[in-house]
Amino acid sequence: MKAPLSWILDHIDVPAGTTTEHITDRLTLTGLKLEAIESPGRDITGPLVIGRVLTMEAEPQKNGKTINWCTVDVGDANGTGEPQGIVCGAHNFKPGDLVVTVLPGGVLPGGFEIGARKTYGHLSAGMICSSRELGLGDDHDGIIVLPADAGTPGQDVRPVLGLDEETIELEINPDRAYALSIRGIAREVLVSVEGASGFRDPALRDTPPADDLGHPVVVEDAEGCPVFVARRVSGFDPSAPTPDFMVRRITAAGMRPISLAVDVTNYVMLETGRPIHGYDADKVRGALVVRRARDGERLTTLDGTERRLDPGDLVVCDDSGIIGLGGVMGGETTEISGSTTSVLVEAAHWDAVSMYRTGRRHKITSEAGKRNERGVDPTICEAAADRVVELLVEHGGATAEPGVTVVGTPPAQPVVEVAGDLAARVSGMPITEERSVECLRAVGCEVTGSGTLSVTPPPWRPDLTDAQDFSEEVIRLVGYDRVPSVLPTPPSGRGLTRAQQLRRRVGRTLAGEGFVEVVSFPFVGASDLDALGLPADDPRRDVLELTNPLSAEAGSMTTTLLPGVLRAAGKNVGHGNADVALFETGTVTLPRHAGPAAILPVDRRPTAEELAALDAALPAQPLHLAVVAAGDASSGGWWGEARPVSWADAVEAVRSVTDALGLDVTAAAAEVAPWHPGRCAELSVDGEVVGHAGELHPTVCQAFGLPKRSVAAEVDLDLLISRAVHLRQAPAFSSYPVAKEDVALVVDAAVPAADVEAALREGAGELLESIRLFDVYTGDQVGEGKKSLAYALRFRAPDRTLKEGEAATARDAAVALAAQQTGAVQRA
């Protein structure tokens, strides 16, 4: 929120000598963080004065352009008292007008230095300035013509234009919507700056009573629109200019002046915080009706966009149909234009949740919507409408029509019970009950009682709904900077927890394997899950929806890390990094559908039962590990050809992690999205499935911008860590010779190699030191539907040399068990 300081000080008095920096420092300490202090004249140096045009001679040029050779009286500002000769290309002024003149030696925004130079056959000594050249707006078609009483030639024009005005820009939290107005910021100055007094509320004014003479209004949805006020003016002059003070303030606040009628509604919104909408009254047909939209209805809004409406949208209608998206944006058919002479003023209070949802649904961001969706004071609709009428009458020559339409009443404010010592208990500061009551009344609350206070929040603070909200108000006014810093005594000798150490071990292991860690947002949308090719009944589609997502396209907590890590890999590939190997560790969110969680107290330690109830309501959030690799696993060169990644690399990445955790992982064939059927492995530890790995389906690769045959894996890291061997025992080595035996077994093609290996390992007994699959063959020699698996078996005893035949006997036992369990036949 940008706010000119002079506008704020129109409504509040501060002690003499109070600087802008002091005001902003105090506002920052009480919650309105300073972003910047701006001054439009900060980049302008040198002589910038009022000039009076004495003569102007039009001189057509060969290029078709006509310039004016002017003599301008600048008083004694040029040191001679003589008129200044200046060439000007604008034509919106005449002799006798007062203009803004910068003389040689001046510097305009952007470092544009002004000097005397010969142009169009004349020595032009200075410049007559437009708004854009001074950084005051975008208008460059004509120069600034000052009012006749602006001052005398040669006088510094900065105070006249407000160039020495300071504007403060504040960061306003979403729950502090009242501060999106001069009224709200002035209130904050009152409670923040010591010695501030005399708050003059722009919304505190006498308004004419409601009657039956105004424009008819029917509100069919009182929850969506509790209050609707309508006023009308006629005889408005559409050519009346917006007064200079209003243009300067609107521009300083970051908005663009448009026309007097529109500027007045924006000015009042900035002043009071109440969004106002104006209709061309002559284009409105019949009574205004507020209701919810119906399926299939459409509206072309002021930005020229035709929008398909949703049944949740609040709309304003007349006899011709829908004429506005209530509280968000008006319709094109009743837009105020250059021919508007009658204005129907709407000041309505809208349901904040409906405003937020409508804005997000239609991707509309407007100043009015920003305020309505955060919550606005519902009691000032009549005052805001009356202020608009007053300004249109004063500056637009309009006449206020008789009749004031007021439909509905502001919602009642809740009464909240607050312990008198709550702020002291929460903050640790010695805050008395009397001080708490003083602070609460300072921010506009009504407080009664003692010990347990009954507090009614002011209507402009819809964010104050809980006892803790009121304690926070007290604490921020007492001063966050006064909260004592008490460091807890750290326990000695604990260091990292077992889980932390193991997570670091996993990260170091994967980094050693050539993978790079990435961190992605834990949010997904339906399109992400569709891109993974997940079937409709896949449990990973059961996601936790977010009430206030950062993006409408990713409005849920993710149940899998794959979308994020695949997007990261696709972005790398898209930027020319064709060979990528990435990993990510992060939590996924698995809904339990246990209902809402209870709000825990902050002034005491929660009980074990309260914590257990909270845990039961929270979704499960296990830690997962995901890896992805694309391109070449090893680069080629003089030493040999490159090796592209394969599904085995994904399996091996997981195996390296399980090895580091002291676990044995087994792989079995599976068909799970998003992996390619037949090239996906189900990974298990001690018979429990921990994840999957393999080659990604081609459609998934295409969706994420990855090359075909890219690979990925995802495992439950929490499950692996829970079973991990934290302190691994060093392996025992035998100094006796090894006995080598190789076997080739023919099995059905569908039999997993892991099953054959497990049977061989079990049958070989305790003499088996290692087993390795070194060849897989399919072809005519083994028959259709068969495959040959060749294993290298290594036998060794820890305390002796094996006798002749012991290794062969163990091999035969292994083959026999493999034949029994998998139907394997030893190949000759």
Side-chain angles (χ1 to χ4, degrees):
M1 171 71 185
K2 292 183 177 181
L5 185 62
S6 64
W7 198 359
I8 298 171
L9 297 182
D10 281 350
H11 301 283
I12 190 72
D13 298 324
V14 296
T18 303
T19 64
T20 304
E21 288 73 15
H22 178 71
I23 293 174
T24 55
D25 286 347
R26 294 306 307 167
L27 289 175
T28 297
L29 285 173
T30 54
L32 299 188
K33 179 185 174 185
L34 176 69
E35 289 288 304
I37 299 176
E38 299 176 356
S39 177
R42 183 171 295 174
D43 297 330
I44 301 175
T45 59
L48 184 71
V49 300
I50 296 175
R52 186 185 302 279
V53 180
L54 300 178
T55 65
M56 57 185 295
E57 300 176 13
E59 297 183 357
Q61 304 298 308
K62 294 180 181 179
N63 60 6
K65 181 179 180 180
T66 299
I67 60 98
N68 292 307
W69 168 241
C70 307
T71 56
V72 182
D73 178 11
V74 293
D76 294 328
N78 58 4
T80 66
E82 296 295 323
Q84 203 85 349
I86 299 176
V87 171
C88 182
H91 304 282
N92 66 318
F93 63 102
K94 62 185 183 301
D97 283 345
L98 296 181
V99 294
V100 179
T101 309
V102 58
L103 301 178
V107 179
L108 296 181
F112 183 43
E113 298 181 4
I114 304 299
R117 62 188 183 93
K118 191 168 185 178
T119 180
Y120 294 107
H122 299 281
L123 183 65
S124 181
M127 176 188 288
I128 303 175
C129 300
S130 69
S131 294
R132 190 168 74 179
E133 289 159 346
L134 295 177
L136 296 177
D138 296 327
D139 186 7
H140 191 57
D141 295 333
I143 54 92
I144 298 174
V145 178
L146 299 171
D149 58 353
T152 59
Q155 176 183 331
D156 191 341
V157 78
R158 289 174 176 83
V160 178
L161 296 178
L163 291 174
D164 54 355
E165 168 76 271
E166 288 185 310
T167 298
I168 60 175
E169 182 177 1
L170 302 171
E171 178 185 306
I172 309 299
N173 291 337
D175 61 340
R176 307 283 290 279
Y178 70 96
L180 291 172
S181 67
I182 299 299
R183 180 190 187 218
I185 296 174
R187 283 187 184 278
E188 285 298 299
V189 172
L190 177 66
V191 299
S192 302
V193 178
E194 187 176 354
S197 62
F199 173 63
R200 296 171 287 279
D201 190 347
L204 185 63
R205 57 191 292 121
D206 293 329
T207 58
D211 54 37
D212 297 329
L213 303 177
H215 194 94
V217 175
V218 178
V219 176
E220 296 181 358
D221 191 325
E223 288 188 6
C225 181
V227 182
F228 195 107
V229 175
R231 297 283 302 274
R232 179 169 176 162
V233 299
S234 60
F236 173 73
D237 180 5
S239 64
T242 303
D244 291 338
F245 81 90
M246 194 177 294
V247 170
R248 289 198 298 270
R249 286 181 168 180
I250 290 174
T251 302
M255 300 184 71
R256 181 172 60 90
I258 299 174
S259 66
L260 176 59
V262 176
D263 294 344
V264 163
T265 60
N266 286 336
Y267 183 84
V268 174
M269 177 186 69
L270 292 169
E271 185 178 60
T272 65
R274 165 54 61 191
I276 306 289
H277 184 65
Y279 303 91
D280 187 326
D282 293 330
K283 298 177 183 177
V284 176
R285 301 289 179 260
L288 296 182
V289 178
V290 179
R291 61 171 174 83
R292 298 282 177 174
R294 303 184 182 104
D295 275 331
E297 289 186 314
R298 293 180 176 272
L299 170 69
T300 301
T301 46
L302 290 175
D303 58 1
T305 303
E306 184 181 22
R307 303 182 186 278
R308 181 182 179 87
L309 302 181
D310 184 271
D313 296 332
L314 284 162
V315 294
V316 180
C317 313
D318 66 0
D319 292 347
S320 66
I322 299 175
I323 61 174
L325 202 52
V328 178
M329 187 173 286
E332 200 173 56
T333 58
T334 55
E335 179 181 7
I336 292 176
S337 65
S339 60
T340 298
T341 58
S342 294
V343 179
L344 181 61
V345 178
E346 167 206 300
H349 181 69
W350 305 93
D351 173 57
V353 174
S354 295
M355 295 300 97
Y356 172 79
R357 290 175 177 169
T358 295
R360 285 300 180 95
R361 192 157 38 232
H362 296 286
K363 297 180 174 63
I364 298 176
T365 301
S366 66
E367 291 294 330
K370 183 166 68 175
R371 288 162 174 80
N372 281 325
E373 71 184 23
R374 287 164 169 79
V376 187
D377 187 348
T379 66
I380 64 169
C381 294
E382 294 174 67
D386 190 64
R387 175 68 166 148
V388 170
V389 170
E390 177 187 59
L391 292 172
L392 292 176
V393 170
E394 180 179 353
H395 300 289
T399 300
E401 291 288 326
V404 177
T405 303
V406 179
V407 178
T409 56
Q413 295 299 109
V415 178
V416 181
E417 301 296 319
V418 182
D421 63 346
L422 180 60
R425 286 189 281 120
V426 170
S427 67
M429 292 188 287
I431 302 174
T432 64
E433 182 178 309
E434 290 72 21
R435 177 63 170 141
S436 294
V437 171
E438 178 187 339
C439 291
L440 291 174
R441 287 176 176 163
V443 298
C445 297
E446 295 180 9
V447 186
T448 59
S450 177
T452 299
L453 307 176
S454 297
V455 185
T456 304
W460 58 86
R461 293 296 303 272
D463 57 304
L464 302 181
T465 59
D466 184 80
Q468 303 301 338
D469 297 330
F470 295 99
S471 72
E472 182 179 352
E473 289 298 299
V474 174
I475 295 167
R476 77 180 182 91
L477 293 192
V478 172
Y480 289 127
D481 55 324
R482 298 181 182 179
V483 175
S485 297
V486 181
L487 293 177
T489 303
S492 60
R494 289 190 178 180
L496 297 176
T497 66
R498 173 182 181 276
Q500 289 171 332
Q501 291 178 344
L502 294 175
R503 286 200 296 270
R504 291 194 177 188
R505 185 187 297 176
V506 169
R508 287 194 296 267
T509 298
L510 287 171
E513 294 292 325
F515 288 83
V516 176
E517 186 172 14
V518 296
V519 179
S520 58
F521 281 122
F523 312 122
V524 293
S527 59
D528 297 312
L529 303 180
D530 292 340
L532 291 179
L534 303 185
D537 60 348
D538 194 298
R540 287 171 291 178
R541 283 192 176 273
D542 182 16
V543 294
L544 182 69
E545 300 287 344
L546 294 171
T547 302
N548 185 19
L550 292 178
S551 168
E553 288 75 26
S556 308
M557 296 297 294
T558 189
T559 55
T560 168
L561 296 182
L562 289 176
V565 75
L566 292 179
R567 273 195 300 268
K571 183 173 291 188
N572 276 273
V573 171
H575 282 74
N577 185 14
D579 304 326
V580 294
L582 307 178
F583 80 94
E584 179 177 12
T585 58
T587 57
V588 298
T589 303
L590 310 178
R592 289 176 175 156
H593 305 291
I599 298 177
L600 297 183
V602 298
D603 58 328
R604 61 174 175 80
R605 178 181 175 83
T607 65
E609 292 75 15
E610 288 173 331
L611 291 174
L614 178 63
D615 287 338
L618 295 176
Q621 292 184 287
L623 186 70
H624 276 208
L625 164 68
V627 300
V628 61
D632 291 335
S634 59
S635 58
W638 57 265
W639 53 85
E641 296 182 356
R643 183 182 72 80
V645 297
S646 71
W647 64 270
D649 291 304
V651 175
E652 191 56 33
V654 177
R655 196 182 299 278
S656 67
V657 169
T658 56
D659 286 347
L661 297 177
L663 301 172
D664 292 323
V665 64
T666 58
E671 290 190 12
V672 178
W675 288 278
H676 195 299
R679 297 172 190 167
C680 171
E682 180 182 84
L683 306 175
S684 303
V685 171
D686 296 334
E688 185 172 0
V689 176
V690 296
H692 296 84
E695 181 182 311
L696 292 170
H697 196 283
T699 59
V700 176
C701 294
Q702 183 179 7
F704 287 95
L706 294 170
K708 292 181 179 179
R709 313 212 75 167
S710 296
V711 301
E714 183 173 17
V715 294
D716 187 334
L717 192 55
D718 267 351
L719 188 56
L720 295 179
I721 288 175
S722 67
R723 296 171 177 265
V725 178
H726 184 35
L727 298 175
R728 292 171 293 178
Q729 186 174 0
F733 293 95
S734 173
S735 60
Y736 294 94
V738 65
K740 302 178 180 180
E741 297 284 346
D742 295 343
V743 296
L745 304 176
V746 177
V747 296
D748 290 338
V751 175
D755 290 354
V756 178
E757 179 181 323
L760 289 172
R761 188 182 298 275
E762 181 183 351
E766 60 182 13
L767 292 180
L768 181 66
E769 183 178 81
S770 67
I771 181 171
R772 179 174 61 89
L773 175 68
F774 68 87
D775 184 57
V776 179
Y777 171 77
T778 57
D780 295 339
Q781 296 184 28
V782 296
E784 186 177 354
K786 301 287 186 178
K787 62 183 176 183
S788 173
L789 306 176
Y791 292 91
L793 285 73
R794 298 297 178 259
F795 297 94
R796 193 192 321 245
D799 55 351
R800 59 187 175 84
T801 300
L802 294 179
K803 297 178 181 179
E804 184 178 356
E806 277 189 288
T809 300
R811 178 203 61 198
D812 293 343
V815 171
L817 188 59
Q820 177 184 339
Q821 293 185 355
T822 66
V825 177
Q826 187 168 6
R827 188 177 173 192

